[in-house]
Amino acid sequence: MKGFRFTQYIPPKDPDKNNFDNLLNIFLQLVTMTGGDVAEALSWLTNLDKQYNLTNPQYGIGDFIEDLKTKGYLTEQNQKGEFKITGKAEQSIRKSALEEIFGKLKKSKGGQHKTTHSGTGDEKGTDRRPYSFGDNLDQIALTDSLRNAQVNHGFSGDYLLTEDDLEIVENEVRTQTSTVLMIDISHSMILYGEDRITPAKKVAMALAELIKTRYPKDTLDIIVFGNDAWQIEIKDLPYLQVGPYHTNTVAGLELAMDLLRRRKNPNKQIFMITDGKPTCLKVGIKYYKNSFGIDSKILSETLKLAAQCRKLKIPVTTFMIASDPYLKEFVKEFTKVNNGNAYYSSLKGLGDLIFEDYKRNRTKRF
């Protein structure tokens, strides 16, 4: 009988990598999913090995664990004697996220970013203009200037090059950008059987590694927000977990604005990854909460901060990883007040959208 039989696809192992490298890639993914819980990640890895035969008689999970310790990815040097990942493992996780999400990008010189303005800068542009007194000699377009001399004075007699023949290459102005990334860690980020926090963490780690390697003069601050908001370090991202929280968007925006006020460069922006509406507000020492629909009191305070960000020329780009119609209405109103941007993204396309918006915002002055 002719036809097709469909089975689950199991990707083959990379023949260019040894057993350790293949297992390391899976292990780093599991550590991210477990919030940095090494014991749970190793337990999952062992179960995967039983199901998919990841190891062989010559190299087992026990050998892999020993190699992790020997190569500096794991340590037991702590009070409880538990396995903990090291700084080397944290960096590897960020690099893995960068390759997974932004792997199609080509590396280039880091440091600064283009604007539409020309003048004194660090990288030559494509615009040309006549020489004027005070221009730097290294800005002279030598080939174009020599061609002008030949056209203007010909080849006969002594070769003549005058000031009128000189052309200048305009350098592109380079600026710095300060970005605050807000990540929603309310309980809804793991509701309905969908893990939304792991993709958010991967995007944050990829963006952090991208900025550190390609744009080291830019700044990135990361905020998580639930009932309250607090800043975390880049190295803390693999351990990030969802809590039994509501969504206090106001607290997140207030902290983001406070961090950006301390940055001296003029280009500032906020990225917010969330899957729901604001449902919490802190009034004095108490929390005002309402998870049922859009609460007018919470909405009013949220929109007030959106307007303040607009006044300070801080655009807020919202990445809504949910598709409920009434949530879209909230995001639409918030974006209109702030004059920012909004994307309604699936988890799969989140990384590409964030990078494209980051790249687009670097090409203009806010």
Side-chain angles (χ1 to χ4, degrees), residues 6 25 30 56 61 64 69-70 87 118 128 131 142 144 176 183 192 229 267 273 279 286 292 305 308 340 343 356 362:
F6 295 93
N25 182 49
L30 294 177
N56 54 59
I61 297 297
F64 174 65
K69 293 189 290 184
T70 302
S118 61
R128 301 286 193 273
Y131 173 86
L142 185 58
D144 295 328
Q176 298 177 5
I183 304 176
Y192 315 116
N267 297 326
I273 303 175
T279 60
K286 295 184 178 180
F292 304 98
L305 284 179
Q308 288 183 25
Y343 298 97
E356 288 300 327
R362 288 201 327 272

Side-chain angles (χ1 to χ4, degrees), residues 45-240:
L45 183 62
T46 302
N47 290 331
L48 288 173
D49 180 35
K50 291 179 181 178
Q51 187 172 359
Y52 297 111
N53 297 319
L54 302 177
T55 62
N56 54 59
Q58 289 73 40
Y59 192 88
I61 297 297
D63 298 312
F64 174 65
I65 294 173
E66 288 301 315
D67 281 346
L68 286 173
K69 293 189 290 184
T70 302
K71 296 177 183 292
Y73 291 95
L74 286 186
T75 180
E76 293 178 283
Q77 304 300 319
N78 53 75
Q79 293 181 346
K80 296 182 179 180
E82 298 175 344
F83 282 135
K84 299 289 184 182
I85 59 174
T86 63
K88 180 179 180 180
E90 292 167 357
Q91 185 179 25
S92 297
I93 291 172
R94 293 197 301 271
K95 287 183 177 180
S96 176
L98 178 62
E99 292 173 0
E100 177 184 343
I101 294 173
F102 302 143
K104 63 184 179 182
L105 305 178
K106 295 181 179 179
K107 290 186 178 180
S108 63
K109 293 182 179 179
Q112 302 167 9
H113 36 105
K114 299 178 182 179
T115 70
T116 56
H117 303 269
S118 61
T120 303
D122 294 331
E123 184 172 318
K124 293 187 181 298
T126 58
D127 294 336
R128 301 286 193 273
R129 64 171 174 80
Y131 173 86
S132 60
F133 181 77
D135 288 329
N136 295 327
L137 294 179
D138 61 358
Q139 289 183 261
I140 295 176
L142 185 58
T143 302
D144 295 328
S145 299
L146 292 175
R147 185 189 66 243
N148 292 338
Q150 293 172 357
V151 171
N152 295 334
H153 310 295
F155 294 95
S156 60
D158 296 333
Y159 186 82
L160 187 63
L161 178 66
T162 68
E163 180 178 330
D164 293 334
D165 301 322
L166 298 179
E167 282 194 19
I168 293 298
V169 181
E170 286 281 22
N171 288 344
E172 291 181 344
V173 175
R174 295 287 187 163
T175 61
Q176 298 177 5
T177 297
S178 291
T179 303
V180 172
L181 177 62
M182 296 172 51
I183 304 176
D184 185 352
I185 58 168
S186 62
H187 185 59
S188 61
M189 291 289 278
I190 56 170
L191 280 181
Y192 315 116
E194 186 173 35
D195 178 10
R196 297 170 177 172
I197 191 63
T198 297
K201 286 195 296 184
K202 285 185 177 181
V203 166
M205 289 187 289
L207 186 60
E209 194 66 16
L210 180 73
I211 291 175
K212 286 167 66 71
T213 55
R214 287 188 59 175
Y215 310 104
K217 292 187 179 181
D218 283 8
T219 64
L220 175 66
D221 294 296
I222 301 173
I223 290 174
V224 294
F225 62 105
N227 289 351
D228 297 287
W230 60 96
Q231 187 178 7
I232 64 171
E233 300 294 330
I234 292 174
K235 64 180 180 64
D236 299 326
L237 281 169
Y239 311 100
L240 189 60

Side-chain angles (χ1 to χ4, degrees), residues 281-288 297:
L281 193 65
K282 196 167 186 179
V283 182
I285 60 173
K286 295 184 178 180
Y287 293 98
Y288 175 84
K297 182 176 181 178

